[in-house]
């Protein structure tokens, strides 16, 4: 029986592990076969504090993992098959075996959606990105493309417009689905232009992006468009498919509950299931940064500690 099982091994899960084990809890991280989360797909990370020259994403995650292992957290390097929250102890099934736990922190993250077109895998981190906050800095005075028409695409374009020479939003329809307020900001930014009814069909460049192939979805006409960077902002998929008995919102993200007692905040990272807490991008539409995921993981572990004190320590 574990005190805490943490599902996920990105910054949220690993930070939760640090706090959980240091609070004295027998802790297991179900890391997944592709452990480490979104930073494993990143190159240079310059916005995580503490690294003067920046650090490669995978190296940062490896350091975090070694730190967590040194502190005594157990790891399972497989994907879990199902997390059953219908009764306590909670049951996490992995490799056909059931692991029981008094509490759970869900930190399974959300994967960026990609276009899945030729060249994308090879050019990730070489001009193809899903995070302007992380990477805009590398595109100072460069020409950039943003793909998508939702709030994320608007936000990416606005972030890029602060540093890039040009920002071209490529959208597959003739209208954005983004909020009016975000659209207004985009349309009033002179650096941002929009190409409507177009799809990105391919990337050009071998060591770094030099352009994209565009297809006009009304006429079928194809052209090449030179650019130094491409930011894909077509949404995320939260990793919640294998969670049973927990409230999700319409887009599949975990619904985070703030629970107050006598007017004071008690838990900030609770879920619909007492004893199951959440941290990181699996509930976070908004920030999606390594540092915010880490902070959410920390909060979840502190909430678990409080919950265990009241509900499990005496048992
Ligand atoms: P989204 O609202 O689902 O928008 C995704 C966009 O990508 C849509 O415009 C969609 O086109 C396009 N798209 C999807 N698949 C595509 C493909 N294969 N090829 C080309 N284009 C594709 O996702 P999001 O912008 O990430 O936002 C997710 C949620 O977070 C929303 O509720 C949003 O309001 C919220 N959010 C809020 C803020 C904020 O308040 N500041 C910031 C970011 C996100 P179609 O329109 O044609 O479907």
């Amino acid at each position: 029986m574990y005190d805490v099982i943490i599902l996920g091994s990105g910054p949220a899960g690993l930070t939760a592990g640090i706090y959980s084990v240091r609070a004295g809890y027998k802790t297991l991280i179900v890391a997944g076969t592709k452990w480490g989360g979104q930073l494993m797909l990143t190159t240079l990370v310059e916005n995580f504090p503490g690294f003067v020259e920046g650090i490669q994403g995978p190296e940062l995650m490896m350091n975090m993992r070694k730190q967590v292992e040194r502190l005594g957290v157990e790891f399972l390097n497989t994907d879990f098959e199902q997390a059953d929250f219908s009764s306590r102890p909670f049951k996490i099934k992995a490799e056909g075996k059931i692991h029981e736990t008094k509490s759970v922190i869900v930190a399974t993250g959300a994967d960026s959606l990609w276009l899945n077109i030729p060249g994308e895998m090879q050019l990730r981190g070489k001009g193809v990105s899903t995070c302007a906050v992380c990477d805009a800095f590398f595109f100072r005075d460069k020409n950039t493309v943003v793909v998508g028409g939702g709030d994320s695409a608007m936000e990416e374009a606005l972030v890029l417009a602060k540093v890039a020479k040009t920002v071209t939003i490529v959208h597959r329809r003739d209208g954005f689905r983004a909020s009016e307020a975000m659209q207004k900001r985009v349309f009033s930014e002179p650096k941002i232009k929009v190409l409507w009814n177009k799809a990105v069909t391919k990337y050009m460049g071998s060591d770094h992006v030099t352009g994209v192939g565009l297809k006009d979805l009304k006429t079928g006409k194809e052209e090449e468009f030179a650019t130094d960077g491409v930011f894909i902002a077509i949404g995320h998929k939260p990793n919640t498919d294998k969670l049973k008995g927990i409230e999700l919102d319409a887009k599949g993200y975990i619904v985070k509950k703030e629970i107050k007692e006598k007017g004071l905040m008690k838990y900030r990272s609770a879920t619909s299931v007492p004893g199951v807490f959440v941290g990181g991008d699996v509930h976070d539409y908004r920030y999606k940064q390594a540092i915010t995921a880490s902070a959410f993981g920390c909060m979840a572990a502190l909430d678990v500690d409080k919950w265990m004190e009241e509900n499990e320590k005496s048992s």
Side-chain angles (χ1 to χ4, degrees), residues 115 148-152 155 171-173 177 233-235 251 285:
L115 294 173
D151 281 326
S152 295
E155 220 164 59
H171 185 40
R172 64 184 178 182
R173 291 189 295 118
R177 72 168 59 229
I234 61 171
K251 295 202 171 197
Y285 280 55

Side-chain angles (χ1 to χ4, degrees), residues 33-242:
T33 45
K34 288 187 274 172
W35 74 276
Q38 296 283 292
L39 279 191
M40 298 300 273
L41 310 172
T42 313
T43 51
L44 187 64
V45 177
E46 284 193 316
N47 57 6
F48 200 94
F51 301 92
V52 178
E53 303 295 332
I55 184 168
Q56 294 292 315
E59 191 186 348
L60 175 59
M61 296 318 297
M62 185 54 83
N63 286 351
M64 274 193 212
R65 178 164 176 158
K66 282 186 191 155
Q67 181 181 1
V68 179
E69 284 175 337
R70 184 185 68 76
L71 291 167
V73 173
E74 293 174 43
F75 274 78
L76 205 57
N77 294 313
T78 53
D79 297 320
F80 64 95
E81 286 135 38
Q82 196 184 77
D84 180 359
F85 302 137
S86 57
S87 61
R88 291 195 344 235
F90 303 117
K91 292 170 192 59
I92 311 298
K93 189 173 171 194
E95 287 184 324
K97 195 175 155 203
I98 304 285
H99 302 270
E100 291 192 327
T101 180
K102 295 172 185 171
S103 67
V104 173
I105 294 172
V106 182
T108 45
D111 292 337
S112 302
L113 297 177
W114 295 87
L115 294 173
N116 293 319
I117 54 173
E120 197 161 57
M121 284 293 277
Q122 301 87 294
L123 289 167
R124 279 187 199 180
K126 296 173 183 164
V128 179
S129 168
T130 54
C131 180
V133 172
C134 319
D135 296 335
F137 182 77
F138 304 117
F139 294 88
R140 184 169 296 280
D141 299 324
K142 306 258 184 196
N143 297 309
T144 59
V145 160
V146 173
V147 184
D151 281 326
S152 295
M154 305 300 110
E155 220 164 59
E156 298 282 282
L158 290 164
V159 168
L160 281 164
K162 289 188 190 144
V163 291
K165 187 157 115 195
T166 65
V167 182
T168 304
I169 302 178
V170 176
H171 185 40
R172 64 184 178 182
R173 291 189 295 118
D174 59 2
F176 290 140
R177 72 168 59 229
S179 59
E180 286 300 323
M182 293 294 274
Q183 292 197 37
K184 213 166 154 188
R185 287 179 59 200
V186 161
F187 290 134
S188 59
E189 169 53 62
K191 275 189 194 173
I192 304 176
K193 303 271 178 282
V194 185
L195 295 177
W196 302 105
N197 300 306
K198 293 211 193 303
V200 172
T201 53
K202 63 177 179 185
Y203 298 98
M204 276 104 70
S206 48
D207 295 337
H208 200 276
V209 168
T210 56
V212 288
L214 293 180
K215 181 173 183 179
D216 188 307
L217 297 172
K218 289 229 152 134
T219 63
K221 196 174 153 233
E222 303 211 20
E223 62 181 313
E224 292 190 346
F225 187 87
T227 186
D228 304 301
V230 185
F231 288 79
I232 310 298
I234 61 171
H236 289 82
K237 184 181 179 306
N239 296 315
T240 50
D241 293 353
K242 293 174 188 158

